[in-house]
Amino acid sequence: MLATFDLPGHVIGIIIDSDLTEQVLDEVILEIKARFDQYDKVNVYLELEKDHDIGFNALLKGIKFKYSNADLFGKIAIVTDSSWFQNAVNVSDIFLNVEVRTYDVKDRLDGLQWISI
């Protein structure tokens, strides 16, 4: 299940309460693309709730989307307790001109505060 919430206009919050599959990622991408039409730069808060898996194909698709649209992102906050997903995100962002931070679920408020500035 995918839930979205609004923060300041250019910030979109997305919480995923299921495994992150390619189909779920397609929904996430649609939500983000809708913001691209409204703002020059979009900040994204993405939280994967506890005990859910990230599909490898979804990870690759997400990285491809991020690279293809890097100039449209301001900041990205990824909140998950999956250490391998956090590491994959951090490594994939070395070559992007987008500020990306990862947070554990227990630190979600830090992520929300950072993404909203």
Side-chain angles (χ1 to χ4, degrees), residues 5-6 27 36-37 42 62-63 65 82-83 89 103 113 117:
F5 58 94
D6 288 329
E27 292 178 48
F36 286 164
D37 294 337
V42 174
I63 290 170
F65 175 72
S82 171
S83 59
V89 167
Y103 297 88
Q113 181 179 13
I117 298 173

Side-chain angles (χ1 to χ4, degrees), residues 24-110:
V24 172
L25 185 62
D26 288 339
E27 292 178 48
V28 170
I29 289 171
L30 285 175
E31 293 290 338
I32 294 170
K33 282 184 174 181
R35 289 294 172 101
F36 286 164
D37 294 337
Q38 300 173 27
Y39 300 96
D40 293 333
K41 295 273 187 181
V42 174
N43 291 357
V44 177
Y45 172 93
L46 180 67
E47 180 176 328
L48 182 65
E49 292 196 344
K50 289 184 178 190
D51 301 322
H52 293 291
D53 294 321
I54 299 102
F56 184 71
N57 289 338
L59 173 67
L60 294 178
K61 188 173 191 173
I63 290 170
K64 181 180 175 185
F65 175 72
K66 198 168 39 172
Y67 273 87
S68 300
N69 297 282
D71 58 328
L72 299 174
F73 288 107
K75 299 191 285 189
I76 301 171
I78 305 290
V79 179
T80 179
D81 283 338
S82 171
S83 59
W84 80 263
F85 185 55
Q86 287 183 358
N87 290 333
V89 167
N90 290 333
V91 168
S92 74
D93 294 326
I94 291 172
F95 303 106
L96 281 179
N97 192 23
V98 176
E99 195 171 359
V100 180
R101 292 189 186 175
T102 58
Y103 297 88
D104 292 329
V105 172
K106 67 179 177 53
D107 299 321
R108 68 170 49 106
L109 292 178
D110 294 335

